[in-house]
Amino acid sequence: MTLQKTYTATDIQTWLITQVCEQVGIEPDEVDVQESLESYNLDSAQAMAIVSKAEHFLGFQLSPVWLWHYPTIAALSQRLAEEFTLDSADQELAINKTPALDLRTEAVLDSTISPHGAFLDAVDEPESVFLTGGTGFLGAFLIQELLQKTRVDVYCLVRAANTDEGKKRIQQNLARYALWQDNFSDRVIPVLGDLSQPLLGLSPAQFQMLAGKIDAVYHSAALLNYVYPYSALKAANVLGTQEILRLACQFKVKPVHYVSSVAVFESAAYAGKVVKEQDDFEHCEGIYLGYSQTKWVAERLVKIAGDRGLPVTIYRPPLIAGHSKTGFSNVDDFICLMLKGCVQLGSFPDIDYMLDMSPVDYVSQAIVYLSQQKESIGKAFHLQHPQPIHISKFFEWVKSLNHPVQLMPYEQWQADVLNRVCSVDNPLYTLRPFLLEKWSNEQLTIPELYMQPRRPHVSCEDTLAALVDSDITCPSIDSQLLSTYLSHLINSGFLQVA
Ligand SMILES: NC(=O)c1ccc[n+]([C@@H]2O[C@H](COP(=O)([O-])OP(=O)(O)OC[C@H]3O[C@@H](n4cnc5c(N)ncnc54)[C@H](OP(=O)(O)O)[C@@H]3O)[C@@H](O)[C@H]2O)c1
């Protein structure tokens, strides 16, 4: 590679600081170059916008993978500056240098976290619960379900400058999915804090007071980011879960309802195997995504707390899709971005992939119902769709809407993405690290790693049995459900189709 102009690490650092400030609306003196980029709340789209501009600025192609491996401005600047001094063989070596990570040694729970007090029988009639993730997608539906199906007050962890702003953030989030009712107001209590901080960002006195007040914990918050490595997500997803377990053990013992993910079974060791709810998830080798790695480690911590006597229940959703009746969806999630991007591009990849998604109303109703059953304690539940569909059926359905899209062999489709998706105007752009980069030792892209032969068969038999006395069933993924989603996406202006 011949580079026309060279830049030092300091030049690049100054440039990156300006970019981060532009993206998130902060001043340069608020930027700490040693801080993880994640701490500026850059989402995947903003990170990709910086990658794209950096390519123009530096004059060479910048792999988004570098944001995984060099997650601070200082480290990234240093690495980018090396490009101007390394010869091409060295560049190849440097790109592939992945810091070693042993997830098992990460899964160590602070030995002081152990349930001491008497376990008050809070499952039947808790008065107050603590919920994290109430400004997120699933969290909004969990709050609504808790408020409608129980009499609890919901104390919500929220990042905000003051309680008014915190309350407003929660209210606006429920309103975004058409869930807010004014009579909810008195029962939603914001707790200002931050999952990634010790004691959730509360003072020791506040933490102790909260621990005494609440009767159960619903832990749904996590940082979902496609670009960041384990190291950048660890504080929120792993250490945050440890703080939740600390809270649950403090003052009085409180049951913890932890929202995990089927991603804990992403190791190649489970490929083609049936995994049941109560099976151990001991294998972590070959989990490549930083996010999935954090979910594996965090669930291990919850399991260790359970082994120490804390009443814990684990819920593992697959992809969480929109509401089955209203169609309200998280338009920033993988399904919606892929749909919009492929429709815009005019082509879908021909891959062997089961679209395993469960509507958010099923997931939230199941969690709240199961959390009220004493038999659930100590168990895990799979909120898998009982009858997932093959992605090709989804494509045929989009095509049946008379939309001009074609199915392409995967490699041809990748070339199409590479050549024709050149800006954030197409959401596939933000997914490029997923779709084009080769991640594993086998040099496969993420969709290839997730193809059917490499995935486990996640059984949800025990979960369906546990729900049998309720009226909760998972809506079929049929043309009626897909039309509900599509109508909402079109009416909300998210998607333009013919
Ligand atoms: N969505 C899926 O398809 C899916 C699939 C399987 C499992 N899950 C799991 O389900 C749970 C909910 O996912 P979701 O789709 O609802 O995610 P989401 O919409 O991205 O919401 C994430 C929530 O976590 C909060 N959060 C993140 N970092 C935080 C921090 N440092 N301090 C306080 N709060 C923080 C966010 O608060 P802010 O608003 O302040 O950012 C937001 O409320 C997660 O545990 C996820 O791992 C999701």
Side-chain angles (χ1 to χ4, degrees):
M1 158 172 39
T2 316
L3 299 170
Q4 294 186 338
K5 188 168 178 192
T6 60
Y7 293 97
T8 64
T10 314
D11 298 333
I12 299 170
Q13 191 164 294
T14 309
W15 183 85
L16 278 173
I17 291 172
T18 316
Q19 296 307 312
V20 169
C21 291
E22 256 179 40
Q23 291 293 333
V24 296
I26 56 173
E27 295 300 320
D29 60 4
E30 295 176 74
V31 176
D32 178 349
V33 295
Q34 302 295 347
E35 275 287 320
S36 137
L37 283 166
E38 177 271 314
S39 63
Y40 301 107
N41 289 329
L42 274 180
D43 62 24
S44 306
Q46 291 167 324
M48 285 307 295
I50 293 180
V51 168
S52 162
K53 286 183 177 182
E55 288 176 353
H56 288 108
F57 173 69
L58 298 167
F60 60 85
Q61 206 180 351
L62 165 56
S63 166
V65 179
W66 291 358
L67 292 186
W68 289 54
H69 297 332
Y70 309 96
T72 66
I73 290 179
L76 186 59
S77 308
Q78 192 60 45
R79 174 65 193 89
L80 290 171
E82 282 172 13
E83 278 303 286
F84 296 100
T85 54
L86 298 177
D87 64 24
S88 33
D90 287 342
Q91 282 166 2
E92 192 66 22
L93 268 177
I95 289 168
N96 290 325
K97 192 175 63 185
T98 312
L101 171 68
D102 180 357
L103 294 184
R104 277 179 227 286
T105 59
E106 290 289 310
V108 177
L109 183 66
D110 181 343
S111 58
T112 63
I113 298 178
S114 191
H116 296 301
F119 170 38
L120 305 176
D121 202 354
V123 181
D124 282 342
E125 278 297 324
E127 289 177 6
S128 306
V129 301
F130 181 60
L131 177 136
T132 67
T135 51
F137 180 51
L138 176 61
F141 289 86
L142 285 175
I143 292 177
Q144 186 223 22
E145 191 65 14
L146 282 165
L147 293 178
Q148 286 192 330
K149 298 281 169 64
T150 74
R151 296 200 306 217
V152 296
D153 289 338
V154 186
Y155 287 71
C156 300
L157 184 73
V158 56
R159 290 189 280 191
N162 54 55
T163 45
D164 284 349
E165 191 192 302
K167 181 84 168 256
K168 204 162 153 197
R169 284 201 67 209
I170 300 162
Q171 180 174 340
Q172 283 175 341
N173 188 46
L174 266 75
R176 177 181 177 195
Y177 301 114
L179 302 173
W180 181 255
Q181 295 174 24
D182 285 339
N183 61 4
F184 287 171
S185 193
D186 291 345
R187 294 172 60 204
V188 174
I189 300 114
V191 176
L192 303 186
D194 186 332
L195 195 57
S196 63
Q197 301 298 316
L199 304 184
L200 304 171
L202 308 183
S203 68
Q206 287 171 322
F207 194 76
Q208 183 75 0
M209 258 173 53
L210 183 68
K213 178 78 200 162
I214 55 167
D215 304 316
V217 180
Y218 291 79
H219 180 31
S220 178
L223 203 48
L224 286 84
N225 189 300
Y226 318 125
V227 183
Y228 290 125
Y230 175 87
S231 57
L233 303 171
K234 175 178 172 177
N237 295 0
V238 175
L239 301 180
T241 299
Q242 176 161 266
E243 294 311 285
I244 290 293
L245 298 168
R246 192 187 308 283
L247 181 76
C249 292
Q250 192 132 338
F251 194 74
K252 64 183 183 192
V253 180
K254 302 162 273 294
V256 171
H257 301 283
Y258 173 61
V259 182
S260 181
S261 166
V262 292
V264 297
F265 294 117
E266 256 173 44
S267 163
Y270 297 110
K273 300 207 171 115
V274 175
V275 287
K276 295 186 167 188
E277 285 88 335
Q278 304 327 320
D279 287 351
D280 198 1
F281 57 107
E282 65 202 35
H283 295 288
C284 54
E285 55 283 5
I287 302 183
Y288 291 105
L289 230 53
Y291 162 73
S292 304
Q293 292 170 335
T294 60
K295 292 304 277 188
W296 188 88
V297 176
E299 195 182 314
R300 292 295 322 168
L301 298 187
V302 175
K303 186 173 182 322
I304 295 169
D307 292 344
R308 289 184 193 169
L310 186 71
V312 298
T313 309
I314 287 162
Y315 308 89
R316 300 187 186 120
L319 283 175
I320 305 176
H323 191 282
S324 64
K325 300 287 183 303
T326 65
F328 275 91
S329 304
N330 179 4
V331 292
D332 299 323
D333 77 4
F334 186 70
I335 313 173
C336 289
L337 295 177
M338 269 297 273
L339 173 64
K340 182 174 177 163
C342 288
V343 164
Q344 228 168 288
L345 187 65
S347 63
F348 277 77
D350 188 4
I351 48 176
D352 184 9
Y353 177 79
M354 293 303 284
L355 188 56
D356 185 4
M357 57 179 196
S358 291
V360 68
D361 40 325
Y362 171 68
V363 175
S364 54
Q365 285 169 16
I367 291 176
V368 170
Y369 173 83
L370 292 167
S371 72
Q372 294 176 289
Q373 314 304 313
K374 278 190 185 153
E375 310 76 58
S376 298
I377 290 175
K379 292 188 179 159
F381 294 98
H382 288 167
L383 302 169
Q384 245 4 61
H385 199 289
Q387 279 114 22
I389 60 162
H390 196 271
I391 190 85
S392 57
K393 288 223 170 77
F394 183 72
F395 164 75
E396 295 201 341
W397 168 77
V398 175
K399 208 171 166 200
S400 73
L401 303 168
N402 287 330
H403 198 77
V405 284
Q406 53 171 318
L407 202 57
M408 275 188 183
Y410 183 56
E411 283 183 8
Q412 197 183 332
W413 180 81
Q414 279 184 308
D416 218 20
V417 173
L418 190 63
N419 296 325
R420 294 180 46 224
V421 178
C422 303
S423 80
V424 284
D425 294 342
N426 184 318
L428 294 180
Y429 188 77
T430 66
L431 299 177
R432 279 196 325 174
F434 250 8
L435 304 171
L436 304 179
E437 295 293 336
K438 296 187 186 299
W439 294 99
S440 64
N441 296 339
E442 300 156 274
Q443 290 292 288
L444 296 173
T445 60
I446 296 287
E448 286 166 320
L449 286 168
Y450 283 76
M451 289 210 198
Q452 210 43 38
R454 300 182 152 264
R455 295 174 76 193
H457 301 284
V458 180
S459 163
C460 56
E461 231 172 79
D462 291 354
T463 305
L464 297 182
L467 290 171
V468 81
D469 291 333
S470 74
D471 56 1
I472 302 165
T473 53
C474 193
S476 304
I477 309 177
D478 53 17
S479 55
Q480 190 184 338
L481 182 75
L482 296 174
S483 300
T484 303
Y485 289 159
L486 192 76
S487 305
H488 176 72
L489 294 176
I490 293 173
N491 293 340
S492 65
F494 174 77
L495 197 64
Q496 278 94 41
V497 293

